[in-house]
Amino acid sequence: MSDPRTSARDAALSTLGARPPFYRDATVVRWIAQIGTLIAVLAAMWFLATEAGDSLRARGANIDFDFISDYIGIKVGWGIDTNPDTGGRALWVGMVNTIRMAVAGIALASVIGVLVGLARLSSNWPLRRLAGVYVEALRNIPLLVQILVYAAVLVSLPNVSFGTGPISGWIHLSNKGLSIPRVFLADGFYQWAVCLLIGAAVAHVAFRRLAERRDQTGQQTRAGAWAFGIIAAFAIAGWWLHPVFGWLGSVVSGLADAVGSIPPGAVQLFAALVAAGVAAWWIRRFLERHRTPAGRMRLTDDDWFRMIFAAVAALLVVLFVAVLWPGLSSWAVNSASDGLGVLADKFGNGRSGLPVDAMRPDIVQPGNFVNYGPAGLNLPIGFAAVYFGVVFYTAAFIAEIVRGGILAVPKGQSEAAQALGLRRSTALRRVTLPQALRVILPPVGNQYLNLTKNTSLAIAVGYSDLVQIGQTVYNQTGKTLQVMAVWMLFYLACSLTISAVVNFFNIRLRIVER
């Protein structure tokens, strides 16, 4: 006869170990809710887009992007092509102008912001007060007002004439804009770049070995200085020896022909294999991370759902490439072949000149009027006004971020540096700033995003950025929605790129716990 107490205990244990029904399982319900929400959002977006397209077509509005390949008959005031042959080429000129403005603005705004931020913490009272006035004044004046002020000042400058300064032959400033020396990539740059890549590879190997020796022996090996010296040596030697790499042009040309002959089906198969391989690699790493030192593994329902989601994502990639957009493979093959062909031309055709060259600005008189010549880098009034505006405005915010980041470093760090006998500049460079960068970098990344988006104010002074050219394009073609879609995709790509770069360095600067 069985013991009633034993039977009750077994029944209780079996009840605790039993799984609840799937509709009451918290993990299952959570994943179903997330997937259902995702499907609902995508379905709503698809429905709204379909309804908008039907409505536009019912009103006779054309929503295709044929203007990208059609001639629209517009001229661009400044850029890589002042007479674009298609609407797509015109928009590309605007993108290049915007990227030039953003990259150059980020570089100069960072330098000015750091210097002003350090001046705000200086023990020199006039310097500290001057930096404070700069920050408080420029932060509280709207950017558009500043751009218009700079444009008005530039327009009021004297006309161009021979001997125009402030430094004749080097810097010319007039009501035509700014002309400065132009540094450009010459014929031998790509061959020289091969020398730099070889030097960088050798420097990387040397740096790692010297760093390992330093960690093992404690001896100061100056790994960074040796790496820099190796790259400099290869750069100096390659300045004269770079023509020996001209044979790479024929190699790249042959590679372009080989890529162009790849059938689209092979590209689809390769993409499918890559997607499946990445999913399998991720699942394998996931399982390895959950394996105990004894070799055992216990997976929860959440873990199983993650692996299933990775496999489904790979399947969706395969369906997208092979079924939903089969033309993507042909486009990828043609684009890769054309890109390699352009690169082959950079190596060939007897390109053996200097890697980098420079030209001083000049002033010419082709007719009745004196104007800037083509030798220098000629920046129109619109570019100069917008550039000065976004740089000085953004630098004021970066200065405050730098000041706040330095003040966030515990005071004991600077006191310890002083106790070790370090000079203030050395302590700032070796102790304070490396720790402050962890605080400074994320908000500075936001300011880089703001600077890039603020370049769209160039339309107020007639500078040919993407927004100004896009407005001209949709006025000519009536494709307002299509041009706005290009705007959104371009600025989204810029924002994601800047965020990715900033996050990369942010991860490298974080404290690694043992």
Side-chain angles (χ1 to χ4, degrees):
M1 186 174 181
S2 61
D3 189 355
R5 291 177 297 180
T6 304
S7 300
R9 183 183 62 188
D10 294 340
L13 291 175
S14 61
T15 302
L16 292 174
R19 292 177 59 87
F22 75 94
Y23 55 84
R24 294 177 57 188
D25 192 325
T27 303
V28 176
V29 171
R30 183 173 66 251
W31 277 91
I32 291 177
Q34 293 177 358
I35 296 174
T37 303
L38 177 62
I39 294 174
V41 170
L42 295 177
M45 294 175 62
W46 180 266
F47 172 76
L48 293 175
T50 304
E51 289 296 316
D54 294 341
S55 178
L56 291 172
R57 280 188 290 268
R59 298 189 178 193
N62 193 352
I63 58 174
D64 57 17
F65 286 80
D66 54 354
F67 71 96
I68 291 179
S69 57
D70 293 343
Y71 178 74
I72 58 176
I74 67 172
K75 291 188 176 181
V76 178
W78 186 78
I80 58 175
D81 190 354
T82 58
N83 191 18
D85 53 355
T86 62
R89 178 65 175 176
L91 293 176
W92 172 246
V93 173
M95 292 178 188
V96 172
N97 289 346
T98 300
I99 292 173
R100 283 177 171 177
M101 176 84 69
V103 172
I106 287 173
L108 186 57
S110 301
V111 174
I112 296 177
V114 171
L115 295 178
V116 175
L118 295 176
R120 290 271 281 161
L121 299 173
S122 174
S123 58
N124 188 316
W125 185 87
L127 181 62
R128 185 173 67 251
R129 296 304 302 168
L130 183 62
V133 170
Y134 169 86
V135 170
E136 296 301 330
L138 293 186
R139 282 200 313 168
N140 293 292
I141 298 176
L143 177 57
L144 182 58
V145 174
Q146 297 184 39
I147 292 174
L148 294 176
V149 169
Y150 294 136
V153 171
L154 292 172
V155 170
S156 63
L157 292 174
N159 296 328
V160 182
S161 62
F162 291 99
T164 297
I167 305 177
S168 180
W170 292 94
I171 300 176
H172 300 154
L173 187 62
S174 68
N175 59 359
K176 291 292 186 179
L178 179 65
S179 182
I180 58 178
R182 179 167 64 97
V183 179
F184 57 93
L185 305 182
D187 291 341
F189 174 78
Y190 289 87
Q191 293 92 325
W192 186 56
V194 175
C195 300
L196 293 181
L197 289 176
I198 297 174
V202 175
H204 177 71
V205 174
F207 179 84
R208 293 192 61 178
R209 291 186 176 179
L210 291 174
E212 291 177 358
R213 185 190 303 174
R214 179 193 60 198
D215 295 338
Q216 293 173 359
T217 64
Q219 181 183 0
Q220 182 58 259
T221 57
R222 301 187 181 276
W226 274 102
F228 178 79
I230 291 173
I231 296 177
F234 272 86
I236 295 172
W239 191 268
W240 289 277
L241 300 178
H242 65 272
V244 300
F245 291 103
W247 57 271
L248 288 175
S250 58
V251 175
V252 178
S253 179
L255 184 60
D257 296 336
V259 171
S261 63
I262 297 176
V267 177
Q268 295 176 356
L269 178 61
F270 177 74
L273 293 176
V274 169
V278 170
W281 172 79
W282 186 88
I283 292 174
R284 182 175 176 275
R285 286 197 59 192
F286 184 81
L287 293 175
E288 290 296 331
R289 288 197 302 266
H290 286 74
R291 193 181 301 277
T292 64
R296 298 181 179 179
M297 187 184 308
R298 183 179 180 86
L299 300 176
T300 63
D301 292 339
D302 212 21
D303 298 333
W304 284 106
F305 275 114
R306 285 190 175 93
M307 292 188 292
I308 294 173
F309 187 79
V312 171
L315 179 61
L316 291 177
V317 171
V318 174
L319 292 176
F320 180 80
V321 174
V323 180
L324 297 179
W325 193 3
L328 178 63
S329 56
S330 300
W331 175 84
V333 169
N334 295 331
S335 299
S337 178
D338 294 342
L340 290 172
V342 172
L343 184 61
D345 292 338
K346 300 295 184 181
F347 282 98
N349 298 329
R351 295 176 181 266
S352 59
L354 293 176
V356 181
D357 206 347
M359 298 179 68
R360 292 169 54 185
D362 59 345
I363 297 176
V364 298
Q365 188 175 359
N368 296 328
F369 301 99
V370 179
N371 208 338
Y372 293 146
L377 179 59
N378 302 324
L379 307 178
I381 290 178
F383 181 94
V386 177
Y387 184 69
F388 293 150
V390 296
V391 165
F392 294 146
Y393 181 76
T394 307
F397 288 90
I398 294 178
E400 283 298 276
I401 294 171
V402 171
R403 184 179 71 90
I406 293 176
L407 292 178
V409 177
K411 191 175 180 180
Q413 297 291 320
S414 58
E415 292 176 348
Q418 292 177 1
L420 292 174
L422 298 179
R423 292 182 299 178
R424 187 176 181 183
S425 59
T426 305
L428 182 66
R429 188 176 67 255
R430 295 294 184 88
V431 178
T432 306
L433 278 180
Q435 299 181 69
L437 280 176
R438 300 188 183 101
V439 181
I440 292 172
L441 198 56
V444 164
N446 292 334
Q447 294 304 318
Y448 292 162
L449 295 176
N450 292 336
L451 186 149
T452 304
K453 291 181 287 188
N454 285 336
T455 58
S456 61
L457 294 174
I459 192 174
V461 291
Y463 172 65
S464 301
D465 76 319
L466 177 61
V467 175
Q468 194 268 345
I469 295 178
Q471 188 183 48
T472 305
V473 169
Y474 71 65
N475 284 336
Q476 289 288 106
T477 62
K479 304 298 180 66
T480 306
L481 292 179
Q482 293 88 324
V483 172
M484 288 187 176
V486 173
W487 287 350
M488 290 188 293
L489 291 175
F490 173 76
Y491 284 107
L492 176 63
C494 291
S495 299
L496 294 178
T497 302
I498 294 173
S499 299
V501 173
V502 172
N503 287 336
F504 171 79
F505 289 103
N506 194 29
I507 292 174
R508 296 291 298 270
L509 289 173
R510 69 182 179 184
I511 298 176
V512 180
E513 298 181 356
R514 296 184 181 273

